[in-house]
Amino acid sequence: MSDEVTEVLSGYEPAMRALAERARQVIRSLVPDAEEEAVDVWQAVAFACGRGKVHFCSIAPRKTWLNLNFNRGAELPDPAALLEGTGKKERFVRLESEEDLGRESLAALVRAAAEVARAEG
């Protein structure tokens, strides 16, 4: 874990840090070429891929849940209706436990978001 990512996650309770770390592992396993960076302003960890290193998702811990944000979520297929939000582009999935990270429908969203980023950049 980079120093910047450690710093972003350091202000959260151990259980939330553990959930954030597990989310990071899942994202990297689904998108092996993903690069991550800390975004201090949002207290988030963003992931990018493709030649242009286009951001496709980020994790943003809260007190009792973790938001998995999708930069172009409005464009993603979501047959399981996991995505929340009403923005023009961004959508999110609220994660409360490690079990939430194991859903195949969530994995499909992460993969689809990475493909959108690769096509863009």
Side-chain angles (χ1 to χ4, degrees):
M1 187 176 334
S2 75
D3 290 341
E4 294 84 12
V5 170
T6 300
E7 181 66 30
V8 164
L9 299 177
S10 69
Y12 296 94
E13 296 293 324
M16 185 50 54
R17 285 196 309 270
L19 182 59
E21 178 57 33
R22 182 69 184 121
R24 292 173 62 228
Q25 291 170 355
V26 167
I27 292 166
R28 289 192 308 259
S29 74
L30 294 169
V31 187
D33 64 325
E35 293 185 15
E36 67 179 0
E37 68 176 298
V39 184
D40 292 335
V41 173
W42 298 332
Q43 289 296 291
V45 179
F47 296 85
C49 67
R51 285 177 282 138
K53 301 300 177 202
V54 175
H55 286 164
F56 64 94
C57 73
S58 63
I59 57 171
R62 300 295 176 244
K63 195 167 198 154
T64 59
W65 74 87
L66 177 83
N67 275 348
L68 176 56
N69 302 306
F70 292 94
N71 297 41
R72 306 277 295 275
E75 299 173 29
L76 301 177
D78 183 24
L82 296 179
L83 293 170
E84 298 180 47
T86 58
K88 286 186 177 184
K89 292 184 180 183
E90 190 169 316
R91 298 286 188 274
F92 67 94
V93 177
R94 182 175 167 152
L95 305 170
E96 297 182 7
S97 69
E98 282 198 36
E99 290 77 31
D100 293 339
L101 289 165
R103 295 181 286 197
E104 181 52 40
S105 52
L106 184 70
L109 282 172
V110 171
R111 288 187 200 107
E115 287 305 313
V116 168
R118 286 187 190 102
E120 184 180 321

PDB file of all heavy atoms in Angstrom, residues 17-36:
ATOM      1  N   ARG A  17     -11.171   0.011   7.459  1.00  0.00           N
ATOM      2  CA  ARG A  17      -9.908  -0.116   6.735  1.00  0.00           C
ATOM      3  C   ARG A  17      -9.778  -1.510   6.125  1.00  0.00           C
ATOM      4  O   ARG A  17      -9.325  -1.656   4.996  1.00  0.00           O
ATOM      5  CB  ARG A  17      -8.719   0.184   7.658  1.00  0.00           C
ATOM      6  CG  ARG A  17      -8.545   1.659   7.946  1.00  0.00           C
ATOM      7  CD  ARG A  17      -7.179   1.981   8.526  1.00  0.00           C
ATOM      8  NE  ARG A  17      -6.796   1.166   9.660  1.00  0.00           N
ATOM      9  CZ  ARG A  17      -7.034   1.449  10.931  1.00  0.00           C
ATOM     10  NH1 ARG A  17      -7.677   2.571  11.257  1.00  0.00           N
ATOM     11  NH2 ARG A  17      -6.632   0.640  11.896  1.00  0.00           N
ATOM     12  N   ALA A  18     -10.201  -2.532   6.867  1.00  0.00           N
ATOM     13  CA  ALA A  18     -10.140  -3.900   6.359  1.00  0.00           C
ATOM     14  C   ALA A  18     -11.061  -4.078   5.148  1.00  0.00           C
ATOM     15  O   ALA A  18     -10.686  -4.724   4.165  1.00  0.00           O
ATOM     16  CB  ALA A  18     -10.511  -4.895   7.460  1.00  0.00           C
ATOM     17  N   LEU A  19     -12.260  -3.508   5.207  1.00  0.00           N
ATOM     18  CA  LEU A  19     -13.179  -3.594   4.071  1.00  0.00           C
ATOM     19  C   LEU A  19     -12.602  -2.857   2.864  1.00  0.00           C
ATOM     20  O   LEU A  19     -12.668  -3.354   1.734  1.00  0.00           O
ATOM     21  CB  LEU A  19     -14.550  -3.028   4.450  1.00  0.00           C
ATOM     22  CG  LEU A  19     -15.630  -3.097   3.371  1.00  0.00           C
ATOM     23  CD1 LEU A  19     -15.887  -4.542   2.929  1.00  0.00           C
ATOM     24  CD2 LEU A  19     -16.916  -2.448   3.872  1.00  0.00           C
ATOM     25  N   ALA A  20     -12.003  -1.705   3.091  1.00  0.00           N
ATOM     26  CA  ALA A  20     -11.386  -0.951   1.995  1.00  0.00           C
ATOM     27  C   ALA A  20     -10.228  -1.733   1.389  1.00  0.00           C
ATOM     28  O   ALA A  20     -10.073  -1.788   0.165  1.00  0.00           O
ATOM     29  CB  ALA A  20     -10.909   0.408   2.488  1.00  0.00           C
ATOM     30  N   GLU A  21      -9.414  -2.364   2.224  1.00  0.00           N
ATOM     31  CA  GLU A  21      -8.295  -3.170   1.717  1.00  0.00           C
ATOM     32  C   GLU A  21      -8.807  -4.347   0.898  1.00  0.00           C
ATOM     33  O   GLU A  21      -8.276  -4.652  -0.160  1.00  0.00           O
ATOM     34  CB  GLU A  21      -7.426  -3.665   2.870  1.00  0.00           C
ATOM     35  CG  GLU A  21      -6.274  -4.536   2.433  1.00  0.00           C
ATOM     36  CD  GLU A  21      -5.335  -3.882   1.430  1.00  0.00           C
ATOM     37  OE1 GLU A  21      -5.128  -2.658   1.484  1.00  0.00           O
ATOM     38  OE2 GLU A  21      -4.806  -4.611   0.558  1.00  0.00           O
ATOM     39  N   ARG A  22      -9.859  -4.984   1.364  1.00  0.00           N
ATOM     40  CA  ARG A  22     -10.435  -6.111   0.613  1.00  0.00           C
ATOM     41  C   ARG A  22     -10.998  -5.626  -0.721  1.00  0.00           C
ATOM     42  O   ARG A  22     -10.830  -6.289  -1.749  1.00  0.00           O
ATOM     43  CB  ARG A  22     -11.519  -6.792   1.446  1.00  0.00           C
ATOM     44  CG  ARG A  22     -12.106  -7.980   0.765  1.00  0.00           C
ATOM     45  CD  ARG A  22     -11.107  -9.140   0.655  1.00  0.00           C
ATOM     46  NE  ARG A  22     -11.725 -10.206  -0.108  1.00  0.00           N
ATOM     47  CZ  ARG A  22     -11.236 -10.696  -1.242  1.00  0.00           C
ATOM     48  NH1 ARG A  22     -10.099 -10.260  -1.723  1.00  0.00           N
ATOM     49  NH2 ARG A  22     -11.881 -11.638  -1.878  1.00  0.00           N
ATOM     50  N   ALA A  23     -11.641  -4.472  -0.729  1.00  0.00           N
ATOM     51  CA  ALA A  23     -12.159  -3.909  -1.982  1.00  0.00           C
ATOM     52  C   ALA A  23     -11.009  -3.634  -2.950  1.00  0.00           C
ATOM     53  O   ALA A  23     -11.121  -3.916  -4.155  1.00  0.00           O
ATOM     54  CB  ALA A  23     -12.946  -2.629  -1.710  1.00  0.00           C
ATOM     55  N   ARG A  24      -9.914  -3.101  -2.452  1.00  0.00           N
ATOM     56  CA  ARG A  24      -8.736  -2.844  -3.299  1.00  0.00           C
ATOM     57  C   ARG A  24      -8.234  -4.150  -3.910  1.00  0.00           C
ATOM     58  O   ARG A  24      -7.913  -4.209  -5.096  1.00  0.00           O
ATOM     59  CB  ARG A  24      -7.628  -2.184  -2.487  1.00  0.00           C
ATOM     60  CG  ARG A  24      -7.966  -0.772  -2.049  1.00  0.00           C
ATOM     61  CD  ARG A  24      -6.926  -0.184  -1.104  1.00  0.00           C
ATOM     62  NE  ARG A  24      -5.636  -0.087  -1.777  1.00  0.00           N
ATOM     63  CZ  ARG A  24      -4.488  -0.519  -1.244  1.00  0.00           C
ATOM     64  NH1 ARG A  24      -4.453  -1.085  -0.057  1.00  0.00           N
ATOM     65  NH2 ARG A  24      -3.371  -0.373  -1.912  1.00  0.00           N
ATOM     66  N   GLN A  25      -8.171  -5.213  -3.111  1.00  0.00           N
ATOM     67  CA  GLN A  25      -7.716  -6.513  -3.601  1.00  0.00           C
ATOM     68  C   GLN A  25      -8.638  -7.039  -4.696  1.00  0.00           C
ATOM     69  O   GLN A  25      -8.182  -7.553  -5.720  1.00  0.00           O
ATOM     70  CB  GLN A  25      -7.639  -7.521  -2.456  1.00  0.00           C
ATOM     71  CG  GLN A  25      -6.552  -7.239  -1.454  1.00  0.00           C
ATOM     72  CD  GLN A  25      -6.686  -8.120  -0.219  1.00  0.00           C
ATOM     73  OE1 GLN A  25      -7.638  -8.890  -0.060  1.00  0.00           O
ATOM     74  NE2 GLN A  25      -5.718  -7.993   0.682  1.00  0.00           N
ATOM     75  N   VAL A  26      -9.939  -6.921  -4.462  1.00  0.00           N
ATOM     76  CA  VAL A  26     -10.916  -7.411  -5.445  1.00  0.00           C
ATOM     77  C   VAL A  26     -10.770  -6.646  -6.756  1.00  0.00           C
ATOM     78  O   VAL A  26     -10.721  -7.245  -7.831  1.00  0.00           O
ATOM     79  CB  VAL A  26     -12.356  -7.310  -4.890  1.00  0.00           C
ATOM     80  CG1 VAL A  26     -13.390  -7.509  -5.983  1.00  0.00           C
ATOM     81  CG2 VAL A  26     -12.553  -8.310  -3.753  1.00  0.00           C
ATOM     82  N   ILE A  27     -10.682  -5.340  -6.688  1.00  0.00           N
ATOM     83  CA  ILE A  27     -10.561  -4.532  -7.904  1.00  0.00           C
ATOM     84  C   ILE A  27      -9.285  -4.900  -8.661  1.00  0.00           C
ATOM     85  O   ILE A  27      -9.307  -5.104  -9.880  1.00  0.00           O
ATOM     86  CB  ILE A  27     -10.614  -3.025  -7.573  1.00  0.00           C
ATOM     87  CG1 ILE A  27     -12.015  -2.659  -7.070  1.00  0.00           C
ATOM     88  CG2 ILE A  27     -10.230  -2.177  -8.797  1.00  0.00           C
ATOM     89  CD1 ILE A  27     -12.100  -1.306  -6.399  1.00  0.00           C
ATOM     90  N   ARG A  28      -8.178  -5.024  -7.948  1.00  0.00           N
ATOM     91  CA  ARG A  28      -6.912  -5.382  -8.618  1.00  0.00           C
ATOM     92  C   ARG A  28      -6.960  -6.779  -9.204  1.00  0.00           C
ATOM     93  O   ARG A  28      -6.355  -7.032 -10.247  1.00  0.00           O
ATOM     94  CB  ARG A  28      -5.742  -5.220  -7.655  1.00  0.00           C
ATOM     95  CG  ARG A  28      -5.422  -3.760  -7.350  1.00  0.00           C
ATOM     96  CD  ARG A  28      -4.085  -3.603  -6.630  1.00  0.00           C
ATOM     97  NE  ARG A  28      -3.979  -4.451  -5.461  1.00  0.00           N
ATOM     98  CZ  ARG A  28      -4.149  -4.052  -4.209  1.00  0.00           C
ATOM     99  NH1 ARG A  28      -4.423  -2.788  -3.948  1.00  0.00           N
ATOM    100  NH2 ARG A  28      -4.023  -4.893  -3.205  1.00  0.00           N
ATOM    101  N   SER A  29      -7.689  -7.699  -8.572  1.00  0.00           N
ATOM    102  CA  SER A  29      -7.790  -9.055  -9.133  1.00  0.00           C
ATOM    103  C   SER A  29      -8.654  -9.071 -10.392  1.00  0.00           C
ATOM    104  O   SER A  29      -8.390  -9.843 -11.317  1.00  0.00           O
ATOM    105  CB  SER A  29      -8.329 -10.040  -8.097  1.00  0.00           C
ATOM    106  OG  SER A  29      -9.707  -9.857  -7.879  1.00  0.00           O
ATOM    107  N   LEU A  30      -9.669  -8.222 -10.427  1.00  0.00           N
ATOM    108  CA  LEU A  30     -10.556  -8.160 -11.591  1.00  0.00           C
ATOM    109  C   LEU A  30      -9.952  -7.359 -12.742  1.00  0.00           C
ATOM    110  O   LEU A  30     -10.256  -7.621 -13.910  1.00  0.00           O
ATOM    111  CB  LEU A  30     -11.903  -7.538 -11.197  1.00  0.00           C
ATOM    112  CG  LEU A  30     -12.740  -8.347 -10.215  1.00  0.00           C
ATOM    113  CD1 LEU A  30     -13.902  -7.510  -9.701  1.00  0.00           C
ATOM    114  CD2 LEU A  30     -13.236  -9.632 -10.866  1.00  0.00           C
ATOM    115  N   VAL A  31      -9.130  -6.386 -12.404  1.00  0.00           N
ATOM    116  CA  VAL A  31      -8.508  -5.507 -13.406  1.00  0.00           C
ATOM    117  C   VAL A  31      -7.008  -5.445 -13.077  1.00  0.00           C
ATOM    118  O   VAL A  31      -6.537  -4.501 -12.445  1.00  0.00           O
ATOM    119  CB  VAL A  31      -9.131  -4.097 -13.390  1.00  0.00           C
ATOM    120  CG1 VAL A  31      -8.594  -3.252 -14.536  1.00  0.00           C
ATOM    121  CG2 VAL A  31     -10.648  -4.167 -13.447  1.00  0.00           C
ATOM    122  N   PRO A  32      -6.260  -6.482 -13.485  1.00  0.00           N
ATOM    123  CA  PRO A  32      -4.848  -6.572 -13.095  1.00  0.00           C
ATOM    124  C   PRO A  32      -3.984  -5.384 -13.523  1.00  0.00           C
ATOM    125  O   PRO A  32      -2.977  -5.092 -12.873  1.00  0.00           O
ATOM    126  CB  PRO A  32      -4.365  -7.862 -13.765  1.00  0.00           C
ATOM    127  CG  PRO A  32      -5.602  -8.659 -13.995  1.00  0.00           C
ATOM    128  CD  PRO A  32      -6.702  -7.657 -14.226  1.00  0.00           C
ATOM    129  N   ASP A  33      -4.365  -4.696 -14.584  1.00  0.00           N
ATOM    130  CA  ASP A  33      -3.568  -3.552 -15.029  1.00  0.00           C
ATOM    131  C   ASP A  33      -3.992  -2.236 -14.363  1.00  0.00           C
ATOM    132  O   ASP A  33      -3.466  -1.175 -14.689  1.00  0.00           O
ATOM    133  CB  ASP A  33      -3.619  -3.401 -16.549  1.00  0.00           C
ATOM    134  CG  ASP A  33      -5.008  -3.085 -17.079  1.00  0.00           C
ATOM    135  OD1 ASP A  33      -5.999  -3.588 -16.519  1.00  0.00           O
ATOM    136  OD2 ASP A  33      -5.103  -2.347 -18.075  1.00  0.00           O
ATOM    137  N   ALA A  34      -4.899  -2.321 -13.395  1.00  0.00           N
ATOM    138  CA  ALA A  34      -5.368  -1.108 -12.712  1.00  0.00           C
ATOM    139  C   ALA A  34      -4.245  -0.498 -11.878  1.00  0.00           C
ATOM    140  O   ALA A  34      -3.476  -1.200 -11.227  1.00  0.00           O
ATOM    141  CB  ALA A  34      -6.554  -1.429 -11.813  1.00  0.00           C
ATOM    142  N   GLU A  35      -4.174   0.814 -11.929  1.00  0.00           N
ATOM    143  CA  GLU A  35      -3.261   1.572 -11.082  1.00  0.00           C
ATOM    144  C   GLU A  35      -4.113   2.365 -10.109  1.00  0.00           C
ATOM    145  O   GLU A  35      -5.178   2.847 -10.464  1.00  0.00           O
ATOM    146  CB  GLU A  35      -2.395   2.505 -11.922  1.00  0.00           C
ATOM    147  CG  GLU A  35      -1.430   1.756 -12.815  1.00  0.00           C
ATOM    148  CD  GLU A  35      -0.491   2.675 -13.571  1.00  0.00           C
ATOM    149  OE1 GLU A  35      -0.377   3.867 -13.212  1.00  0.00           O
ATOM    150  OE2 GLU A  35       0.122   2.186 -14.528  1.00  0.00           O
ATOM    151  N   GLU A  36      -3.629   2.487  -8.892  1.00  0.00           N
ATOM    152  CA  GLU A  36      -4.407   3.200  -7.889  1.00  0.00           C
ATOM    153  C   GLU A  36      -3.665   4.434  -7.417  1.00  0.00           C
ATOM    154  O   GLU A  36      -2.441   4.500  -7.478  1.00  0.00           O
ATOM    155  CB  GLU A  36      -4.768   2.298  -6.712  1.00  0.00           C
ATOM    156  CG  GLU A  36      -3.608   1.860  -5.885  1.00  0.00           C
ATOM    157  CD  GLU A  36      -4.007   0.974  -4.715  1.00  0.00           C
ATOM    158  OE1 GLU A  36      -5.198   0.677  -4.526  1.00  0.00           O
ATOM    159  OE2 GLU A  36      -3.105   0.565  -3.986  1.00  0.00           O
TER     160      GLU A  36
END
